[in-house]
Amino acid sequence: MAKLYTKEKLATTKMLPSKNTVSLILQYSKALKIVKYGTINFKVIAN
């Protein structure tokens, strides 16, 4: 029988993003627009 070399799970720390990071991601997603032209997709960031 094969020997399993798995380790016990280590205690994971909860990673919380800062308010600045969340704000940056939200602003980016609001400015991002995907335009489809035939089979091609264009990603446009409107700043």
Side-chain angles (χ1 to χ4, degrees):
M1 181 177 235
K3 188 173 184 181
L4 298 176
Y5 292 97
T6 57
K7 294 182 180 180
E8 291 182 22
K9 285 188 175 183
L10 300 175
T12 58
T13 57
K14 202 169 195 179
M15 297 176 61
L16 297 174
S18 67
K19 289 183 179 182
N20 188 25
T21 303
V22 173
S23 175
L24 180 72
I25 293 171
L26 287 174
Q27 288 176 1
Y28 179 80
S29 66
K30 288 178 185 177
L32 180 66
K33 183 176 180 182
I34 299 175
V35 180
K36 295 181 181 180
Y37 182 77
T39 59
I40 303 171
N41 292 335
F42 295 99
K43 297 174 186 173
V44 180
I45 299 175
N47 285 335

